[in-house]
Amino acid sequence: DTAVSQTPKYLVTQMGNDKSIKCEQNLGHDTMYWYKQDSKKFLKIMFSYNNKELIINETVPNRFSPKSPDKAHLNLHINSLELGDSAVYFCASSQDSHSYEQYFGPGTRLTVT
Amino acid sequence: DQQVKQNSPSLSVQEGRISILNCDYTNSMFDYFLWYKKYPAEGPTFLISISSIKDKNEDGRFTVFLNKSAKHLSLHIVPSQPGDSAVYFCAARVFGNEKLTFGTGTRLTIIP
């Protein structure tokens, strides 16, 4: 009955590979987000989708591409992984784009070697 | 440009005492503030929030105070309990903007 789930929880891969992280929410929310928490513990938003439509696209390399097949899912695909992509990636959702409270998934720790 | 700052990376408090976590911000357009709590290997969970039209919001053991002139907010936990040991993030939002801006967190340790 997990509200916001992410897979995988851990991901270790080599530079240059392509990988995807999946996120699903069963809260019936309209809006979903991807955040990156780097080594300095900064939690920064990357993307936000509202009803499958991209509404926030921060300054993120083109190698990162979000995909929302439906409003309950928001996946993150990363091409040509670099060492600096190592971080914890959190998915979150909110009732709608105007809601202040966001519900977070458990995070995916990505390590690029 | 770090618009939300939590200058204390860690804080230790005796069980039963008051824990005070601080947060400063620079963007005067922020109009809503939130505190999130995070346990290891879990995502942040919402704790309490406050609108800029208020200066205090209370929920059980948790109280958030907002001083707009000083661009400062604080989270008070009283009495502190061992289960409160976690990392606490302050976050802020501009009205009409979906983006939450987070601080870097303060690790609170409650000493039994």
Side-chain angles (χ1 to χ4, degrees), chain A residues 33-34 45-49 53-62 64-66 76, chain B residues 97-99:
Chain A
Y33 311 81
W34 275 112
I45 190 162
M46 301 172 68
F47 302 102
S48 175
Y49 272 73
E53 182 182 336
L54 183 66
I55 56 172
I56 295 177
N57 186 352
E58 290 292 288
T59 309
V60 176
N62 291 337
F64 289 79
S65 54
L76 183 65
Chain B
N97 188 325
E98 301 84 4
K99 189 170 85 168

Side-chain angles (χ1 to χ4, degrees), chain A residues 4-6 9 21-23 32-38 41-47 74 76 87-93 102-110, chain B residues 38-45 89 102:
Chain A
V4 182
S5 59
Q6 296 178 227
K9 196 166 176 64
I21 306 172
K22 296 186 176 182
C23 178
M32 295 184 73
Y33 311 81
W34 275 112
Y35 285 86
K36 178 181 180 181
Q37 186 179 34
D38 59 23
K41 305 303 181 188
F42 264 113
L43 196 61
K44 287 194 69 174
I45 190 162
M46 301 172 68
F47 302 102
L74 180 61
L76 183 65
V88 181
Y89 293 85
F90 289 99
C91 176
S93 72
Q102 296 179 12
Y103 296 78
F104 284 79
T108 295
R109 182 175 292 278
L110 171 65
Chain B
K38 183 183 180 305
Y39 291 120
E42 294 183 13
T45 55
F89 289 95
F102 282 84

Side-chain angles (χ1 to χ4, degrees), chain B residues 19-92:
Chain B
S19 295
I20 300 176
L21 296 102
N22 294 305
C23 178
D24 296 295
Y25 62 96
T26 57
N27 188 345
S28 57
M29 298 297 289
F30 286 143
D31 77 319
Y32 202 84
F33 303 88
L34 306 91
W35 284 94
Y36 280 81
K37 175 179 178 179
K38 183 183 180 305
Y39 291 120
E42 294 183 13
T45 55
F46 171 74
L47 191 57
I48 192 169
S49 62
I50 188 167
S51 164
S52 60
I53 63 173
K54 295 186 174 182
D55 54 20
K56 176 182 174 182
N57 188 27
E58 195 171 347
D59 183 3
R61 297 185 298 112
F62 303 92
T63 303
V64 56
F65 295 92
L66 175 63
N67 183 334
K68 282 193 300 182
S69 60
K71 293 192 178 69
H72 177 83
L73 65 156
S74 60
L75 173 68
H76 292 212
I77 306 172
V78 56
S80 300
Q81 299 174 353
D84 297 330
S85 294
V87 177
Y88 290 79
F89 289 95
C90 170

